[in-house]
């Protein structure tokens, strides 16, 4: 008898989970952006006609995201960079990464409290605009909301 109730309960939970998944709106994820950051950078670099060896990247920190996520972006790009300007109001979060970039890769990182005129570097990657960057590199628009109506 207990087996019957257990099976009934499990089938009820499965139906509830299925309904929950169907009602959820697809969410954009900053982690997807981190995973695709090399493609994003390559796209923008090619659009501007900048070779890897001439790239001087200006990375604007998205202070709405945890600092470790921006560090992950830098770590993903570090091998392809010769010079990096990091625009942030929280430089103490990036000290260890900056030291490591210089020691292990010879990458000079200049920290700026705000973007100045004229803009340093030759390519700006603003992580505050990350959702639009994903739309650029993907055939599927990440800003499109999919509405499915039950039949």
């Amino acid at each position: 008898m207990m087996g019957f109730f257990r099976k009934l309960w499990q089938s009820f939970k499965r139906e509830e989970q299925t309904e929950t998944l169907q009602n959820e709106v697809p969410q954009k994820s900053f982690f997807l952006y981190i995973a695709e950051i090399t493609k994003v950078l390559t796209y923008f670099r090619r659009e501007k006609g900048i070779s890897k060896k001439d790239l001087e990247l200006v990375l604007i920190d998205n202070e709405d995201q945890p600092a470790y996520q921006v560090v992950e972006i830098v770590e993903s790009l570090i091998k392809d960079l010769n010079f990096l300007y990091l625009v942030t109001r929280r430089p103490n979060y990036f000290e260890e990464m900056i030291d490591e970039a210089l020691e292990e890769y010879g990458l000079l990182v200049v920290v700026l409290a705000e973007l100045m005129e004229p803009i340093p570097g030759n390519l700006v990657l603003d992580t505050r605009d990350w959702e639009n960057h994903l739309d650029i590199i993907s055939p599927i628009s990440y800003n499109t909301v999919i509405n499915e109506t039950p039949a």
Side-chain angles (χ1 to χ4, degrees):
M1 193 69 157
M2 287 297 283
F4 170 75
F5 288 115
R6 185 174 298 134
K7 287 181 185 179
L8 181 64
W9 177 250
Q10 288 174 348
S11 102
F12 175 72
K13 285 178 69 175
R14 272 191 297 254
E15 287 177 18
E16 192 174 79
Q17 289 173 347
T18 303
E19 285 180 23
T20 303
L21 290 174
Q22 289 175 351
N23 293 333
E24 288 181 7
V25 175
Q27 295 292 317
K28 295 167 253 175
S29 168
F30 195 72
F31 291 108
L32 178 61
Y33 181 66
I34 293 169
E36 298 292 331
I37 194 64
T38 55
K39 291 179 186 176
V40 170
L41 181 65
T42 300
Y43 174 85
F44 285 125
R45 189 178 51 75
R46 288 180 179 165
E47 283 291 307
K48 288 202 160 215
I50 302 169
S51 67
K52 278 187 178 182
K53 69 178 178 111
D54 294 328
L55 178 62
E56 292 182 8
L57 181 64
V58 178
L59 182 66
I60 301 175
D61 179 19
N62 181 354
E63 293 166 8
D64 292 337
Q65 299 294 336
Y68 78 88
Q69 292 178 348
V70 178
V71 169
E72 283 186 44
I73 289 174
V74 173
E75 288 174 349
S76 297
L77 299 175
I78 207 164
K79 295 173 191 157
D80 295 329
L81 298 176
N82 296 316
F83 200 85
L84 174 66
Y85 294 95
L86 178 61
V87 181
T88 184
R89 290 190 191 120
R90 51 184 185 174
N92 52 327
Y93 288 102
F94 302 101
E95 288 175 356
E96 185 177 322
M97 181 269 311
I98 292 169
D99 292 340
E100 185 177 312
L102 185 60
E103 289 174 15
E104 291 189 26
Y105 297 97
L107 176 64
L108 181 60
V109 180
V110 175
V111 178
L112 305 170
E114 59 186 54
L115 201 55
M116 50 193 194
E117 292 291 331
I119 296 173
N122 52 13
L123 181 66
V124 177
L125 188 61
D126 190 343
T127 60
R128 298 171 299 186
D129 194 27
W130 66 272
E131 293 168 335
N132 291 331
H133 296 171
L134 283 177
D135 285 345
I136 289 169
I137 64 159
S138 174
I140 300 170
S141 176
Y142 289 96
N143 287 328
T144 303
V145 176
I146 301 170
N147 290 322
E148 294 183 18
T149 56

